[in-house]
Amino acid sequence: MSKRLSRTVLGVAVLSLVTLGLPATASAGQHAKAERTVTDVVPAPVDAKPDPRASFRLSPATVIRTDREGKQVAEYLAGLLRPATGYRLPVVSGHRGGGPAISLETGHASGRVGSEGYQLKVSPSGVTLKANTDEGLFLGVQTLRQLFPSEIESKTVKKRSWVVSGGSVLDYPRFGYRSAMLDVARHFFTPDQVKLYIDQIAQYKINNLHLHLTDDQGWRIEIKSWPKLATVGGQTAVGGAPGGYYTQEQYKDLVRYAASRHITIVPEIDMPGHTNAAQHSYAELNCDGKAVPPRTDIEVGYSSLCIGKDITYKFVDDVIRELSAITPGKYINIGGDEAHSTSPEDYQTFATKVHPIVAKYGKTITGWHDIAKTNPPVSAVPQFWGTTGTDANVAAAAARGNKILMSPANKAYLDMKYHAQTPLGLSWAGLIEVKTGYDWDPATHLQGVTEKNVIGVEAPLWSETLITSDHIEFMAFPRLPGYAEIGWSPKDSRTWDAYRLRLAKQSPRWVQQGIDFYRSTQVDWK
Ligand code: IFG
């Protein structure tokens, strides 16, 4: 064959490989080595068996098969895979028909995986994801997406092979309640910024988002019977930053968006302290009948609702009624922290009057662990935010049967600096580098609080010092996946030495997602 002709033939061969999405160097038969295996997933699954020979190559012909209950998740999965691959990836109903497929099936998974678990199998002929509910399918999809090369997270087409690492996974969570908190009161974050954070936490199987909606510096939710809460109380923010608030329509849209990621919104109305914005908005909420001036500093503990006035409880009733009507989730968070300007007797009086109001609107109380001392209903969930290993009131509540949500400030507060020079964040609870945030266990952290007393974990992100989404990302990543693992993975499979290697392999995905993460020196980032 002439030199020129052979070059042409070779050229055509290379061209055909590239159009097939294969790297020109790999031969058609050889599967490019997958970048990761099922044992790299974060949070670590219960049981992951890699089989690199069983990898699956996504192709333009691949379809996504599902049954009726799996349709929403199937469309969500297609939405994840289409941008980077450029493949059509049609969602088809029913599991008949040949051809390469990713199959999502509900109702046929092992009883062992419960309602949130799943079974995933990747083989050369296709991918099968089984779960007993669509929530389980959604959580299985978060694992599946991590088996693709990190460029799958790109929003633009990448010309490359899409090899899904082979093997099988059987998985289900240790704790049912895995949460993140975003403080939208100190600084306001738009609905789109909240949705971005929802997508970022959903990829690590977080299933609750606690929104800290009200505080001294701002009130962020429209209450139609008390309009000035938002129109006046929503105008301010820390440091004179622009305020803002969610209309009830915008809040309902956030609830819907979160639900489409199988995340429940838990709204917090912080009371009886942290109420300056409300008391600046309505003079009658103050004991002396005079509206207090707005506050944009970051001091805490100076405000208190007027416990002795009847109108205070009409205010609470109206707020909880309206909020409950637009919150399908089980919980309303009534705050309760740092009520340093409310006497212990008044704090108890307030609690005794407010607990029945929450119950009247069909909701269950959660709140900072300060509420434990008020003997709340046994269904209430005190959220531990202390920095010590003992708290008598929390242990007593646990003994009474209250489940505890664990978010110790010296382990889980995402607004704590990584180190003394971290430009953002605070340090009152201590510095929290990645290892510090990971190396603790919610079932042994507090005396008198064991596995059966713990409902789950939460990573609160307070926003005194945060203004942009980049700020949120810098403080949440890389620590947030660690709390997700603490909430999801079996306790005895969790070691820092193994986790830090898996965490490192997550970073190329964050680069593709544009997440501005802190490059801790404790991890050898990929
Ligand atoms: N404590 C306050 C928050 C916030 C936080 C910042 C709780 C429950 C310090 N209360 O944490 O309002 O200011 O780290």
Side-chain angles (χ1 to χ4, degrees), residues 186 215 274 300 337-338 368 385 413 415-416 426 428 462 464:
R186 274 46 182 272
D215 213 301
H274 286 274
V300 297
D337 63 309
E338 297 175 325
W368 301 106
W385 64 284
Y413 267 30
D415 65 313
M416 289 303 115
L426 303 174
W428 67 271
W462 298 100
E464 280 91 340

Side-chain angles (χ1 to χ4, degrees), residues 82-122:
R82 284 173 183 150
T85 60
Y87 299 168
R88 233 165 41 85
L89 297 169
V91 172
V92 299
S93 57
H95 292 289
R96 287 171 306 290
I102 298 176
S103 297
L104 276 55
E105 301 170 20
T106 48
H108 312 288
S110 154
R112 194 178 154 211
V113 305
S115 66
E116 287 190 84
Y118 60 90
Q119 289 173 278
L120 176 66
K121 182 152 182 55
V122 180

Side-chain angles (χ1 to χ4, degrees), residues 237-257:
V238 165
Y245 64 88
Y246 309 115
T247 65
Q248 293 198 0
E249 283 314 305
Q250 285 173 318
Y251 176 85
K252 289 194 290 190
D253 178 51
L254 281 178
V255 166
R256 271 192 299 273
Y257 190 85

